[in-house]
Amino acid sequence: METLSQNKSHGGTQGVYRHASLVTGTDMTFSVYVPEHVRGTRLPVLWYLSGLTCTHANVTDKGEYRRACAEQGVILVAPDTSPRGEGVPDDEAYDFGQGAGFYVDATEARWASHFHMRAYLEQELPALVAAEFPADMERQGITGHSMGGHGALTIALRNPDRFRSVSAFAPIVAPSVVPWGEKALTGYLGPDRSNWRAYDACALILDGARVPELLVDVGDADQFLHEQLRPELLRAACDAAEIDLTLRLQPGYDHSYYFISSFMADHIAWHAERLKA
């Protein structure tokens, strides 16, 4: 693992790191904030998954999470959204290819060599974080924004014993039935919709996946609310499955990091309460 930068912030260390991923076959960059702590202490971990077009840098630069993480004693890990680099396939559209990995393991020929973000986040990167940072992997939470909210929900639903808490900002809750998701899942997984269900939070819940509770914030001025996000579908799925969903429609907020940063500390405190229990 190569250290690209380290800066002191709120008593802790904000680092950016790069490593050669065997899963994606590329170098992968990610950021980690580690609060100040007593040497030898293991801290709970909160994963943050970013949205379309983003890298680790978007939330690292604009997420305004470090003070809250320092106060709560929580490590925050922010990975990239896709493999990148020479030889990695791409698409000219913003919502497919590099920067738009959708947290799947691709099976279609063009993408299958590198686009394995599910395996990267469920297996490889957690092992690296456990080895290199003072992370208590028995106390993990996960959150994310938009495409990353989709990733957080689906990863948690597939791994309920690993995550004590899960939340999301403006998530794509049912990618199988919205334009962003239909495009990505067809492109990465092929046209057989039965193969998409493992990457659709509402479908996973319908198929029996469970977590105890969810926290979701969405802005009521979000330009993607009605076509791409469809939070009412998650409400219906959770009601049917008796999952405790706190769904907050925040008045006046859009899809941007102005929205995310406004509620980031609230989400971190919510996760910390569950990670420290």
Side-chain angles (χ1 to χ4, degrees), residues 186-202:
T186 300
Y188 294 133
L189 304 175
D192 184 349
R193 288 176 174 256
S194 66
N195 295 326
W196 301 3
R197 298 188 70 81
Y199 301 104
D200 183 308
C202 290

PDB file of all heavy atoms in Angstrom, residues 186-202:
ATOM      1  N   THR A 186     -27.950  -3.940 -17.339  1.00  0.00           N
ATOM      2  CA  THR A 186     -27.919  -4.605 -18.648  1.00  0.00           C
ATOM      3  C   THR A 186     -26.498  -4.660 -19.179  1.00  0.00           C
ATOM      4  O   THR A 186     -26.028  -5.701 -19.658  1.00  0.00           O
ATOM      5  CB  THR A 186     -28.823  -3.872 -19.647  1.00  0.00           C
ATOM      6  OG1 THR A 186     -30.159  -3.855 -19.175  1.00  0.00           O
ATOM      7  CG2 THR A 186     -28.782  -4.547 -21.015  1.00  0.00           C
ATOM      8  N   GLY A 187     -25.800  -3.539 -19.089  1.00  0.00           N
ATOM      9  CA  GLY A 187     -24.458  -3.466 -19.637  1.00  0.00           C
ATOM     10  C   GLY A 187     -23.457  -4.348 -18.923  1.00  0.00           C
ATOM     11  O   GLY A 187     -22.607  -4.991 -19.559  1.00  0.00           O
ATOM     12  N   TYR A 188     -23.535  -4.418 -17.596  1.00  0.00           N
ATOM     13  CA  TYR A 188     -22.566  -5.180 -16.826  1.00  0.00           C
ATOM     14  C   TYR A 188     -22.949  -6.651 -16.654  1.00  0.00           C
ATOM     15  O   TYR A 188     -22.080  -7.522 -16.568  1.00  0.00           O
ATOM     16  CB  TYR A 188     -22.389  -4.567 -15.437  1.00  0.00           C
ATOM     17  CG  TYR A 188     -21.766  -3.191 -15.420  1.00  0.00           C
ATOM     18  CD1 TYR A 188     -22.324  -2.159 -14.653  1.00  0.00           C
ATOM     19  CD2 TYR A 188     -20.626  -2.902 -16.167  1.00  0.00           C
ATOM     20  CE1 TYR A 188     -21.763  -0.902 -14.625  1.00  0.00           C
ATOM     21  CE2 TYR A 188     -20.065  -1.639 -16.157  1.00  0.00           C
ATOM     22  CZ  TYR A 188     -20.633  -0.638 -15.381  1.00  0.00           C
ATOM     23  OH  TYR A 188     -20.070   0.620 -15.365  1.00  0.00           O
ATOM     24  N   LEU A 189     -24.254  -6.928 -16.585  1.00  0.00           N
ATOM     25  CA  LEU A 189     -24.716  -8.272 -16.235  1.00  0.00           C
ATOM     26  C   LEU A 189     -25.480  -8.978 -17.340  1.00  0.00           C
ATOM     27  O   LEU A 189     -25.762 -10.177 -17.218  1.00  0.00           O
ATOM     28  CB  LEU A 189     -25.605  -8.198 -14.991  1.00  0.00           C
ATOM     29  CG  LEU A 189     -24.993  -7.549 -13.749  1.00  0.00           C
ATOM     30  CD1 LEU A 189     -26.036  -7.444 -12.647  1.00  0.00           C
ATOM     31  CD2 LEU A 189     -23.777  -8.314 -13.264  1.00  0.00           C
ATOM     32  N   GLY A 190     -25.852  -8.257 -18.393  1.00  0.00           N
ATOM     33  CA  GLY A 190     -26.623  -8.861 -19.468  1.00  0.00           C
ATOM     34  C   GLY A 190     -28.120  -8.666 -19.266  1.00  0.00           C
ATOM     35  O   GLY A 190     -28.570  -8.129 -18.247  1.00  0.00           O
ATOM     36  N   PRO A 191     -28.923  -9.119 -20.233  1.00  0.00           N
ATOM     37  CA  PRO A 191     -30.360  -8.814 -20.223  1.00  0.00           C
ATOM     38  C   PRO A 191     -31.207  -9.669 -19.293  1.00  0.00           C
ATOM     39  O   PRO A 191     -32.380  -9.356 -19.080  1.00  0.00           O
ATOM     40  CB  PRO A 191     -30.757  -9.052 -21.688  1.00  0.00           C
ATOM     41  CG  PRO A 191     -29.780 -10.086 -22.167  1.00  0.00           C
ATOM     42  CD  PRO A 191     -28.490  -9.797 -21.470  1.00  0.00           C
ATOM     43  N   ASP A 192     -30.672 -10.743 -18.743  1.00  0.00           N
ATOM     44  CA  ASP A 192     -31.459 -11.614 -17.868  1.00  0.00           C
ATOM     45  C   ASP A 192     -31.674 -10.915 -16.525  1.00  0.00           C
ATOM     46  O   ASP A 192     -30.770 -10.831 -15.687  1.00  0.00           O
ATOM     47  CB  ASP A 192     -30.733 -12.943 -17.666  1.00  0.00           C
ATOM     48  CG  ASP A 192     -31.550 -13.939 -16.850  1.00  0.00           C
ATOM     49  OD1 ASP A 192     -32.584 -13.540 -16.271  1.00  0.00           O
ATOM     50  OD2 ASP A 192     -31.151 -15.118 -16.769  1.00  0.00           O
ATOM     51  N   ARG A 193     -32.881 -10.439 -16.304  1.00  0.00           N
ATOM     52  CA  ARG A 193     -33.165  -9.648 -15.116  1.00  0.00           C
ATOM     53  C   ARG A 193     -33.067 -10.444 -13.815  1.00  0.00           C
ATOM     54  O   ARG A 193     -32.928  -9.851 -12.746  1.00  0.00           O
ATOM     55  CB  ARG A 193     -34.549  -9.001 -15.236  1.00  0.00           C
ATOM     56  CG  ARG A 193     -34.583  -7.862 -16.245  1.00  0.00           C
ATOM     57  CD  ARG A 193     -35.969  -7.290 -16.436  1.00  0.00           C
ATOM     58  NE  ARG A 193     -35.915  -6.117 -17.315  1.00  0.00           N
ATOM     59  CZ  ARG A 193     -36.010  -4.862 -16.900  1.00  0.00           C
ATOM     60  NH1 ARG A 193     -36.168  -4.607 -15.602  1.00  0.00           N
ATOM     61  NH2 ARG A 193     -35.955  -3.868 -17.752  1.00  0.00           N
ATOM     62  N   SER A 194     -33.132 -11.745 -13.891  1.00  0.00           N
ATOM     63  CA  SER A 194     -32.972 -12.526 -12.669  1.00  0.00           C
ATOM     64  C   SER A 194     -31.577 -12.362 -12.085  1.00  0.00           C
ATOM     65  O   SER A 194     -31.378 -12.509 -10.869  1.00  0.00           O
ATOM     66  CB  SER A 194     -33.261 -14.007 -12.942  1.00  0.00           C
ATOM     67  OG  SER A 194     -32.291 -14.562 -13.829  1.00  0.00           O
ATOM     68  N   ASN A 195     -30.598 -12.044 -12.934  1.00  0.00           N
ATOM     69  CA  ASN A 195     -29.231 -11.819 -12.466  1.00  0.00           C
ATOM     70  C   ASN A 195     -29.054 -10.445 -11.822  1.00  0.00           C
ATOM     71  O   ASN A 195     -28.002 -10.178 -11.227  1.00  0.00           O
ATOM     72  CB  ASN A 195     -28.245 -11.957 -13.624  1.00  0.00           C
ATOM     73  CG  ASN A 195     -28.201 -13.362 -14.187  1.00  0.00           C
ATOM     74  OD1 ASN A 195     -28.362 -14.338 -13.453  1.00  0.00           O
ATOM     75  ND2 ASN A 195     -27.985 -13.479 -15.492  1.00  0.00           N
ATOM     76  N   TRP A 196     -30.049  -9.601 -11.958  1.00  0.00           N
ATOM     77  CA  TRP A 196     -29.962  -8.253 -11.399  1.00  0.00           C
ATOM     78  C   TRP A 196     -30.393  -8.201  -9.931  1.00  0.00           C
ATOM     79  O   TRP A 196     -30.070  -7.245  -9.225  1.00  0.00           O
ATOM     80  CB  TRP A 196     -30.862  -7.291 -12.164  1.00  0.00           C
ATOM     81  CG  TRP A 196     -30.584  -7.141 -13.625  1.00  0.00           C
ATOM     82  CD1 TRP A 196     -29.660  -7.804 -14.379  1.00  0.00           C
ATOM     83  CD2 TRP A 196     -31.264  -6.258 -14.518  1.00  0.00           C
ATOM     84  NE1 TRP A 196     -29.724  -7.395 -15.685  1.00  0.00           N
ATOM     85  CE2 TRP A 196     -30.697  -6.447 -15.799  1.00  0.00           C
ATOM     86  CE3 TRP A 196     -32.288  -5.329 -14.370  1.00  0.00           C
ATOM     87  CZ2 TRP A 196     -31.133  -5.728 -16.923  1.00  0.00           C
ATOM     88  CZ3 TRP A 196     -32.732  -4.622 -15.483  1.00  0.00           C
ATOM     89  CH2 TRP A 196     -32.144  -4.816 -16.748  1.00  0.00           C
ATOM     90  N   ARG A 197     -31.122  -9.202  -9.460  1.00  0.00           N
ATOM     91  CA  ARG A 197     -31.808  -9.088  -8.173  1.00  0.00           C
ATOM     92  C   ARG A 197     -30.839  -8.934  -7.001  1.00  0.00           C
ATOM     93  O   ARG A 197     -31.181  -8.299  -6.004  1.00  0.00           O
ATOM     94  CB  ARG A 197     -32.737 -10.296  -7.957  1.00  0.00           C
ATOM     95  CG  ARG A 197     -33.841 -10.386  -9.014  1.00  0.00           C
ATOM     96  CD  ARG A 197     -34.860 -11.458  -8.685  1.00  0.00           C
ATOM     97  NE  ARG A 197     -35.703 -11.120  -7.546  1.00  0.00           N
ATOM     98  CZ  ARG A 197     -36.762 -10.329  -7.587  1.00  0.00           C
ATOM     99  NH1 ARG A 197     -37.119  -9.763  -8.729  1.00  0.00           N
ATOM    100  NH2 ARG A 197     -37.478 -10.106  -6.494  1.00  0.00           N
ATOM    101  N   ALA A 198     -29.656  -9.489  -7.121  1.00  0.00           N
ATOM    102  CA  ALA A 198     -28.663  -9.362  -6.049  1.00  0.00           C
ATOM    103  C   ALA A 198     -28.130  -7.943  -5.921  1.00  0.00           C
ATOM    104  O   ALA A 198     -27.430  -7.631  -4.952  1.00  0.00           O
ATOM    105  CB  ALA A 198     -27.509 -10.328  -6.280  1.00  0.00           C
ATOM    106  N   TYR A 199     -28.459  -7.090  -6.901  1.00  0.00           N
ATOM    107  CA  TYR A 199     -27.978  -5.707  -6.917  1.00  0.00           C
ATOM    108  C   TYR A 199     -29.125  -4.705  -6.876  1.00  0.00           C
ATOM    109  O   TYR A 199     -28.984  -3.577  -7.321  1.00  0.00           O
ATOM    110  CB  TYR A 199     -27.115  -5.473  -8.164  1.00  0.00           C
ATOM    111  CG  TYR A 199     -25.920  -6.396  -8.225  1.00  0.00           C
ATOM    112  CD1 TYR A 199     -25.900  -7.486  -9.084  1.00  0.00           C
ATOM    113  CD2 TYR A 199     -24.826  -6.188  -7.399  1.00  0.00           C
ATOM    114  CE1 TYR A 199     -24.806  -8.340  -9.136  1.00  0.00           C
ATOM    115  CE2 TYR A 199     -23.728  -7.036  -7.447  1.00  0.00           C
ATOM    116  CZ  TYR A 199     -23.726  -8.108  -8.310  1.00  0.00           C
ATOM    117  OH  TYR A 199     -22.635  -8.951  -8.360  1.00  0.00           O
ATOM    118  N   ASP A 200     -30.240  -5.118  -6.333  1.00  0.00           N
ATOM    119  CA  ASP A 200     -31.423  -4.265  -6.223  1.00  0.00           C
ATOM    120  C   ASP A 200     -31.944  -4.383  -4.799  1.00  0.00           C
ATOM    121  O   ASP A 200     -32.370  -5.458  -4.376  1.00  0.00           O
ATOM    122  CB  ASP A 200     -32.482  -4.724  -7.234  1.00  0.00           C
ATOM    123  CG  ASP A 200     -33.721  -3.861  -7.250  1.00  0.00           C
ATOM    124  OD1 ASP A 200     -34.301  -3.633  -6.171  1.00  0.00           O
ATOM    125  OD2 ASP A 200     -34.131  -3.429  -8.348  1.00  0.00           O
ATOM    126  N   ALA A 201     -31.892  -3.298  -4.025  1.00  0.00           N
ATOM    127  CA  ALA A 201     -32.258  -3.367  -2.612  1.00  0.00           C
ATOM    128  C   ALA A 201     -33.701  -3.837  -2.421  1.00  0.00           C
ATOM    129  O   ALA A 201     -33.977  -4.682  -1.558  1.00  0.00           O
ATOM    130  CB  ALA A 201     -32.054  -2.007  -1.955  1.00  0.00           C
ATOM    131  N   CYS A 202     -34.610  -3.314  -3.207  1.00  0.00           N
ATOM    132  CA  CYS A 202     -36.010  -3.709  -3.054  1.00  0.00           C
ATOM    133  C   CYS A 202     -36.212  -5.180  -3.408  1.00  0.00           C
ATOM    134  O   CYS A 202     -36.963  -5.897  -2.731  1.00  0.00           O
ATOM    135  CB  CYS A 202     -36.899  -2.815  -3.910  1.00  0.00           C
ATOM    136  SG  CYS A 202     -37.017  -1.113  -3.310  1.00  0.00           S
TER     137      CYS A 202
END
